Amino acid sequence: MDSIIAGFEGVLTWIVETFDGPLWDVTVITLLGVGLFFTITTGLVQLRLLPQSLREMWGGRTAEGDSLTPFQAFTTGLASRVGVGNIGGVATAIALGGPGAVFWMWITALIGMSSAFAESSLAQLYKVRDPNGMFRGGPAYYITAGLKSRWLAIAFAITLIFTFGFAFNAVQANSIVEASRNAWGWDANLVGIALVVLTGLIIFGGVKRIGQVSAKVVPTMALFYLIMAVIILGMNIEKVPEVLSDIVSKAFDFSAMAGGMFGALFSKAMLMGIKRGLFSNEAGMGSAPNSAATSDAKHPASQGLIQMLGVFVDTIVVCTCTAIIILMSDNYGSESLRGISLTQTALSFHLGEFGLHFLAFILLLFCFTSIIGNYAYAESNIRYIRNRAGFVLGFRLVVLFFVYFGAVRDGGIVWAFADTVMASMAMINLVSIVILAPIVWLLLKDYQRQIRAGQEPVFKIDDHPELIKRGVDPEIWK
C-alpha cells in the first residue's frame, strides 16, 4: 500500500510542476476580471442587496416535499467553504505572502460575491429533477443547456470531481491529521482510517443527509470560532490599528514578486491572497452552484443572493477572524511555521494550552463537514456524467482513497495539487458565466421588479418564454 501511495504522489508532483504556474497566471487575471464585470453590470449587487440576502437566507428554512430548503443548500455550500481554507489557508497566505495577503483575500471575496450571485442564480434556473425527485444542477447543467456544449460541461464536471471529490478532501484530511497530531499526538494512519469510516457512513446516506448534518453543525461550529476570535480581539484591542495598517500597507509591497508569466504584475501577497481566497470562498469557481441548485427556491435570484452571502461569511468574517488571531500573536513571521501549525501556535500564544486543543476540536468539525460538503458537489457531477449505481459506487471508493491519502502524506503536495485542479475548474466556469451574463441580468431585473412592487419574488417561466429557447426546463418552474 505504501508503494502505491508513494507512486501516486509522484504522478501528482509531475502534474503540479507541469501545469500549476501557467494555469494560475491566466486564472488570476480572469478571476478578477469576471468579478469586476459582474460587479459593474449588476450595479454592485453584492452591496445593494446584501441586507436582502440575509432576509432570503433566514426566510428559506422550509421547503415543500423532500427537496433541500434554501437554508440547507446555503449551509451545505458553507460546509464546503468553511474549513481548512479559513484556518490553514489564511495562515499559509500570511506565512508566504505576509499580512498584505489578507487584503487581497478581502478583495477576492468582495469582487467575487457578484460572480457567486451569477453562477448560483444560473444553477437554480437550469436545475433538473432526478429520478428520486431531488433537484440537481450546477455549471455542468447550465453549460449543457445554456451553451449547448456537452463536451465543455463534461470537462467541467471532470475538473470539479478531481478538485472537490479528490484534491480538496485530501487537503481537509491532511489538516485534521496535522491539528490532531499537534494537540494530542494522534497517529496519522489511525486518523486516516477513522476519517474513511466516518466519511463513508455519511456519503452513503445521500445528499439529503449531508444537508441535514450541515444545517446543524456548520452554524454551531462557526459561532464558537467567532466567539473565540472576539474574545482574543477584546484581549488585544490596542493592536487593531497596527494590524489593519500592516494588512493595507503591505498589500501593495511589490518588492517580493510572484514570478511566472505575469510576475511583474503580481506580488507574493497578491498571488497568495487570491489563491487562498479562492480556495476558501470558492467565488466564481463553480462549486457552490452545485448546492444552490438542490434547493426548492421560489426564484433563481433568491438562491443566488443566499450563496453570495456565503462568500461574505466565509472570507470577510471567518477568514478575518483567523488573520486577527495570527497577526496579533508574536510568531507569524517565523519561516518554520505555516498552515494549521501557525494558527495553533498563535492560539496558544493568546489562550495557552487551551487554544491548541480548542482549535484541534473546531478543525475536526470544520474539515469533516467540508469533506461531506465537497462530496455533495462531486456526486452531483458524477451523476451528470453517468447516473449509474455502479459508477457512483466506484467514485465513492476513490473519494475514500483520497481521504486516506491526504491523511498520511505530506501537506505540500496535497495543497499544490488542489491549487492546480482548482484553477482549471475555475477557468471553465468563469468563461461560461460571462457568456450567460444576459440571463443573469434578466433574473436580477425580474427579482428587483417584484421587490419594488412589494411582492415576494416568485419566478414564472411563462413571463419569460425566451428562456425556454435557452434550454430552461419549463416544468421545473411551473
Side-chain angles (χ1 to χ4, degrees):
M1 184 66 174
D2 288 341
S3 60
I4 293 175
I5 290 179
F8 185 68
E9 184 175 358
V11 173
L12 296 188
T13 300
W14 177 83
I15 292 172
V16 169
E17 292 176 349
T18 304
F19 298 106
D20 186 68
L23 262 176
W24 270 103
D25 284 337
V26 178
T27 301
V28 169
I29 296 292
T30 307
L31 181 71
L32 295 178
V34 172
L36 287 171
F37 171 75
F38 279 109
T39 296
I40 294 169
T41 59
T42 60
L44 298 173
V45 65
Q46 63 266 57
L47 299 181
R48 290 189 302 107
L49 295 183
L50 184 60
Q52 181 64 22
S53 70
L54 287 166
R55 288 190 286 270
E56 289 283 3
M57 182 271 293
W58 188 248
R61 288 169 293 155
T62 59
E64 298 178 1
D66 293 329
S67 299
L68 294 185
T69 68
F71 179 74
Q72 285 177 331
F74 167 74
T75 54
T76 300
L78 200 60
S80 178
R81 285 192 176 105
V82 178
V84 68
N86 304 85
I87 300 174
V90 174
T92 299
I94 292 173
L96 298 180
V102 179
F103 176 86
W104 292 108
M105 292 184 77
W106 291 343
I107 295 300
T108 302
L110 290 173
I111 293 177
M113 286 172 70
S114 63
S115 302
F117 168 79
E119 62 184 358
S120 292
S121 297
L122 287 169
Q124 256 294 311
L125 180 67
Y126 282 101
K127 65 186 177 184
V128 300
R129 198 181 292 275
D130 69 15
N132 298 319
M134 299 286 289
F135 289 124
R136 293 193 181 276
Y141 296 79
Y142 59 67
I143 290 172
T144 298
L147 298 184
K148 312 297 183 187
S149 181
R150 169 78 172 169
W151 72 267
L152 185 61
I154 290 178
F156 175 85
I158 291 172
T159 58
L160 185 143
I161 290 163
F162 272 84
T163 301
F164 280 84
F166 306 153
F168 281 13
N169 278 344
V171 168
Q172 304 294 342
N174 184 270
S175 299
I176 289 175
V177 166
E178 183 180 352
S180 61
R181 182 173 54 231
N182 291 342
W184 308 309
W186 287 359
D187 179 75
N189 280 291
L190 293 179
V191 173
I193 292 171
L195 286 175
V196 168
V197 172
L198 292 173
T199 302
L201 289 174
I202 292 184
I203 67 175
F204 280 94
V207 173
K208 179 70 174 179
R209 181 178 295 180
I210 292 172
Q212 292 170 339
V213 171
S214 300
K216 295 177 181 178
V217 175
V218 173
T220 302
M221 68 182 186
L223 179 61
F224 278 125
Y225 190 68
L226 293 177
I227 290 172
M228 180 192 64
V230 170
I231 291 172
I232 292 174
L233 180 63
M235 293 166 56
N236 300 273
I237 195 69
E238 73 282 355
K239 296 182 180 180
V240 171
E242 180 183 355
V243 168
L244 293 178
S245 176
D246 276 352
I247 289 174
V248 175
S249 63
K250 294 181 180 178
F252 301 94
D253 179 7
F254 284 82
S255 59
M257 307 310 297
M261 182 172 25
F262 299 115
L265 299 177
F266 305 138
S267 66
K268 282 187 177 180
M270 185 177 183
L271 185 62
M272 288 307 304
I274 293 172
K275 272 189 175 184
R276 296 282 71 82
L278 180 60
F279 179 92
S280 180
N281 62 52
E282 304 170 18
M285 191 191 299
S287 50
N290 292 275
S291 63
T294 61
S295 83
D296 190 19
K298 295 180 179 179
H299 196 290
S302 298
Q303 195 67 47
L305 291 174
I306 291 173
Q307 297 302 115
M308 180 186 80
L309 179 63
V311 176
F312 182 88
V313 172
D314 173 273
T315 304
I316 306 302
V317 179
V318 183
C319 285
T320 300
C321 288
T322 301
I324 288 173
I325 291 169
I326 293 171
L327 295 176
M328 285 183 172
S329 70
D330 63 350
N331 51 20
Y332 73 84
S334 173
E335 294 184 0
S336 62
L337 289 174
R338 62 183 60 178
I340 298 301
S341 297
L342 174 56
T343 309
Q344 284 186 300
T345 303
L347 273 173
S348 297
F349 171 83
H350 295 297
L351 302 176
E353 190 74 11
F354 169 78
L356 187 69
H357 299 293
F358 178 83
L359 185 63
F361 174 72
I362 288 293
L363 200 68
L364 284 173
L365 298 178
F366 272 160
C367 292
F368 186 67
T369 54
S370 289
I371 287 173
I372 60 176
N374 291 345
Y375 170 80
Y377 291 163
E379 184 195 272
S380 177
N381 285 269
I382 276 288
R383 292 188 182 278
Y384 168 81
I385 295 174
R386 178 167 293 183
N387 193 10
R388 300 282 182 86
F391 195 62
V392 174
L393 173 62
F395 160 69
R396 288 172 174 170
L397 294 176
V398 177
V399 168
L400 296 178
F401 168 79
F402 268 89
V403 169
Y404 183 77
F405 174 83
V408 299
R409 303 312 288 181
D410 177 72
I413 184 59
V414 172
W415 276 94
F417 177 58
D419 280 342
T420 302
V421 291
M422 173 175 68
S424 59
M425 170 183 161
M427 282 298 301
I428 297 174
N429 183 62
L430 289 168
V431 172
S432 300
I433 62 175
V434 167
I435 298 173
L436 293 170
I439 297 177
V440 177
W441 303 331
L442 183 152
L443 294 174
L444 180 59
K445 182 179 179 180
D446 182 77
Y447 180 89
Q448 291 180 132
R449 175 184 59 79
Q450 296 183 58
I451 288 290
R452 286 193 295 267
Q455 303 169 350
E456 179 184 8
V458 176
F459 184 73
K460 298 177 181 178
I461 190 65
D462 292 338
D463 294 339
H464 306 283
E466 69 276 19
L467 290 181
I468 298 176
K469 298 178 182 179
R470 295 296 302 269
V472 176
D473 182 357
E475 296 303 318
I476 292 290
W477 293 103
K478 282 189 177 180

